[in-house]
Amino acid sequence: MSTTTSPPVHHEIEPAIYEKRWAILAVLCTSLMIVIIGNTALNVAIPTLARELQASTSELQWMVDAYGLVFAGLLFTAGTIGDRFGRKGALQAGLAVFLVGTVLASTADSSTVVTGARAIMGLAAAFIMPSTLSILTNVFPAHERPKAIAVWAGISGAGAAVGPISSGFLLEHFYWGSVFLVNVPMIAIALVAGAILLPKSKDPEQSPLDFLGAGLSIVGLVALVYAIIEGPAHGWMSGESFLTFGIAIVALGLFALWESKARHPMLDLKLFRDRRFSVASGGMTLTFFAMFGTFFLVAQYFQLVLDYSPLKSGLLQLPMAAVMMAIAPQMPRMVARYGAHRAVPVGLGLIAIGMAVFSQVQTDSSLLLIYASIIPLAAGMATTMTPLTTLIMSSVPLGKAGVGSAMNDTTRELGGALGVAVLGSVVTSQFTSSLAPALTGLPAQARALAESGLAGALRVAGELPGAAGAQLEIASKQSFVDGISMAAVVATVVVIAAAVAAWFLLPAHFGMQATSPGGTATDDLGDDRSLEGTLDLDHGVPIDADGPSVPVDESAAGDVVDEGTREPSPIID
């Protein structure tokens, strides 16, 4: 006599959604690729934009940072809106707006229009990226989330390579605006597939939006990055710099004060009491500080100093993505074995090694030296991203996945924007100082153009006769390399400090924070569990580092876990 057993289920995930979770992940990763490519595709085009639009270094920084700045400034607001009104709708709307910004940027005729279009794309990305991670968190059971997050993080590394390579190819065969159109087919695929596959989910608590908090965070972040970007031009001790830094400090201070008192804060500052959340947020910020700052400088170094074509420059960055994609999926297993408190400092240490080697580049450095910098840099980023993301997401209730995702993404984008701003400003300051003797006797207009950046200096050198032009070209390249060396040293010191802090501040073991049915965090369970969690709270049974390949039958769990400690079911219609 045969018996029929019903398929195992998960309390927080509907069976129909669970069955297509990997297809959903593919859609989410495609959407993520759009955001990452949008952030990195411009780097290879920077020298071309400098020539075609006669853009200064400051204008180039704003073209890059307008995207990341608006992105970072709106992430908390966008994440909250997604949680409140629906994550699928936020993702789909973001893709549509991204398409508008892409088309506008591709038809721009000035650096101002490109910067504005990039800001629109950043606004759209603020809705896309947190939605991808919050939907992922809600469609994968606890034991599979680290594996899914590892894939998600690895895809971000792939996007970092696809952007420069596609941009280089398009720049060699089409006009400069075509670099923005590479995302159009992917946006179309993501929109159609997302409409069919993605589930609708939102926060069951239906918290109201925090408009004042959103406004203060945007003002504070914009003022901070503006002050850093324009510091070399205005002077670090000038009245303009003091004013903008003052606005940033006041706005961010008021933001922290308001969030600590608001009944429904956009960012619950109590989360920072959890070292998983606070240390991981800081580590993620500094990882992307180094990553995007390096991308910004490497593209110019390859094309303007070593005279490589845009396509070759993009292809030379491919090993970075290959390393990241190879290492990131292995990190859940490594973290389960050694702990995040060791994996994260090691990853940050590798980033510091890469930046230290990068500080040694010269105007005629070999590719061997450059790869000796890029490989450990990429390995370190891949080592840190997965555990840091998992730490942040494990620190917030499941119903607030959008807020946790927004925090993860804000640290990435703020770190990237500050990396471009700070390292770019260091390069500009050192470049201007080193180049000054070579500009003696030049007309004021030519001197101003040469001081605007390496592309401008090379244009001036090309217009000078004979030996004078050759000498200025050599001096300008050397001055730029001097700036890179100083910027890399600054980044190395910052990342080493972060690695030391992570080594001492990250706890050796992470108790999985359980949540009550109402969505509020209960006391840490405090047992001896790694980041990945060797005890599945959904089923109360042990799992291995990779997690079971199939759902665990609830009947097997018995009464090991009390119902009140399970994560609340998100609203899924």
Side-chain angles (χ1 to χ4, degrees):
M1 180 176 179
S2 63
T3 59
T4 302
T5 58
S6 59
V9 296
H10 289 274
H11 279 294
E12 81 276 26
I13 303 172
E14 293 181 5
I17 295 173
Y18 179 83
E19 289 297 326
K20 58 182 181 182
R21 66 197 184 285
W22 294 108
I24 292 172
L25 181 61
V27 176
L28 299 178
C29 287
T30 301
S31 301
L32 175 65
M33 283 277 284
I34 292 167
V35 173
I36 300 299
I37 290 174
N39 219 347
T40 60
L42 194 64
N43 288 316
V44 169
I46 285 173
T48 303
L49 291 172
R51 290 192 299 268
E52 296 292 334
L53 301 179
Q54 298 185 352
S56 67
T57 298
S58 177
E59 290 172 327
L60 292 173
Q61 285 175 272
W62 274 113
M63 289 183 204
V64 174
D65 269 342
Y67 182 96
L69 181 58
V70 175
F71 191 177
L74 292 176
L75 271 167
F76 284 122
T77 305
T80 303
I81 290 174
D83 280 345
R84 175 68 175 80
F85 297 105
R87 294 151 187 152
K88 177 179 180 178
L91 176 57
Q92 295 285 91
L95 289 170
V97 174
F98 202 101
L99 180 61
V100 173
T102 294
V103 173
L104 180 61
S106 69
T107 58
D109 58 0
S110 69
S111 59
T112 302
V113 176
V114 172
T115 300
R118 293 271 296 167
I120 293 174
M121 294 163 69
L123 182 152
F127 285 87
I128 297 171
M129 196 165 185
S131 297
T132 64
L133 191 51
S134 57
I135 292 173
L136 180 156
T137 304
N138 278 272
V139 299
F140 280 90
H143 65 270
E144 287 186 333
R145 280 179 208 146
K147 195 183 299 183
I149 288 174
V151 174
W152 184 90
I155 288 297
S156 68
V162 171
I165 293 171
S166 61
S167 293
F169 175 82
L170 291 170
L171 285 172
E172 289 201 356
H173 294 85
F174 304 98
Y175 79 115
W176 65 265
S178 63
V179 299
F180 296 104
L181 299 178
V182 65
N183 266 326
V184 172
M186 297 179 65
I187 293 173
I189 292 171
L191 278 170
V192 174
I196 298 170
L197 292 171
L198 296 182
K200 295 180 180 179
S201 67
K202 54 187 176 182
D203 181 8
E205 292 189 0
Q206 303 287 295
S207 301
L209 299 179
D210 179 12
F211 291 104
L212 179 58
L216 289 171
S217 68
I218 292 169
V219 171
L221 291 172
V222 169
L224 176 62
V225 178
Y226 178 87
I228 294 172
I229 290 177
E230 295 296 332
H234 293 154
W236 292 108
M237 304 302 292
S238 67
E240 292 91 341
S241 293
F242 274 106
L243 176 62
T244 48
F245 274 117
I247 292 173
I249 292 171
V250 170
L252 293 175
L254 289 174
F255 170 75
L257 181 63
W258 170 254
E259 295 301 289
S260 67
K261 296 180 179 298
R263 184 176 179 183
H264 299 285
M266 183 171 64
L267 174 62
D268 187 355
L269 298 182
K270 296 184 181 69
L271 290 170
F272 286 98
R273 297 176 184 173
D274 187 335
R275 281 188 289 172
R276 294 176 301 177
F277 188 85
S278 56
V279 178
S281 297
M284 189 71 81
T285 299
L286 295 178
T287 295
F288 277 78
F289 175 94
M291 179 178 180
F292 279 86
T294 303
F295 283 163
F296 181 74
L297 299 177
V298 164
Q300 296 179 75
Y301 177 77
F302 277 155
Q303 294 182 58
L304 298 179
V305 177
L306 299 184
D307 296 321
Y308 292 150
S309 69
L311 178 57
K312 186 174 182 179
S313 175
L315 289 172
L316 288 173
Q317 296 178 52
L318 186 58
M320 175 177 278
V323 170
M324 293 177 71
M325 290 185 67
I327 293 177
Q330 309 304 318
M331 286 315 300
R333 188 189 302 272
M334 294 296 101
V335 171
R337 177 172 297 179
Y338 300 108
H341 69 299
R342 292 296 174 258
V344 170
V346 168
L348 291 171
L350 288 170
I351 293 173
I353 291 172
M355 296 306 300
V357 175
F358 192 50
S359 70
Q360 302 304 306
V361 297
Q362 299 297 324
T363 57
D364 57 351
S365 292
S366 66
L367 285 178
L368 182 62
L369 177 64
I370 295 169
Y371 282 136
S373 165
I374 288 178
I375 298 303
L377 188 67
M381 291 170 185
T383 301
T384 58
M385 280 194 295
T386 298
L388 290 177
T389 298
T390 307
L391 283 170
I392 292 173
M393 295 306 295
S394 69
S395 304
V396 298
L398 187 59
K400 299 292 185 183
V403 175
S405 178
M407 185 64 198
N408 175 73
D409 300 337
T410 298
T411 57
R412 295 161 69 108
E413 292 310 311
L414 179 58
L418 290 177
V420 172
V422 172
L423 299 187
S425 294
V426 170
V427 170
T428 299
S429 297
Q430 182 62 39
F431 174 81
T432 303
S433 175
S434 298
L435 189 62
L439 302 180
T440 303
L442 288 179
Q445 185 175 2
R447 185 184 299 114
L449 179 59
E451 290 176 341
S452 69
L454 180 55
L458 293 177
R459 279 204 302 272
V460 173
E463 295 172 358
L464 294 177
Q471 290 175 358
L472 180 56
E473 178 180 349
I474 293 172
S476 60
K477 289 184 177 182
Q478 184 60 54
S479 297
F480 185 76
V481 168
D482 291 343
I484 285 180
S485 296
M486 180 169 288
V489 169
V490 169
T492 301
V493 172
V494 169
V495 176
I496 287 175
V500 172
W503 183 274
F504 288 105
L505 294 179
L506 282 177
H509 302 288
F510 297 95
M512 301 282 290
Q513 190 178 48
T515 53
S516 68
T520 58
T522 64
D523 291 336
D524 189 22
L525 297 182
D527 54 27
D528 188 11
R529 282 177 287 193
S530 69
L531 163 67
E532 188 160 0
T534 56
L535 183 67
D536 182 358
L537 287 182
D538 294 315
H539 308 290
V541 294
I543 60 173
D544 61 21
D546 289 325
S549 58
V550 295
V552 181
D553 192 337
E554 282 296 321
S555 62
D559 297 322
V560 176
V561 177
D562 182 76
E563 288 290 340
T565 63
R566 287 200 178 97
E567 292 175 312
S569 300
I571 294 178
I572 299 180
D573 344 293

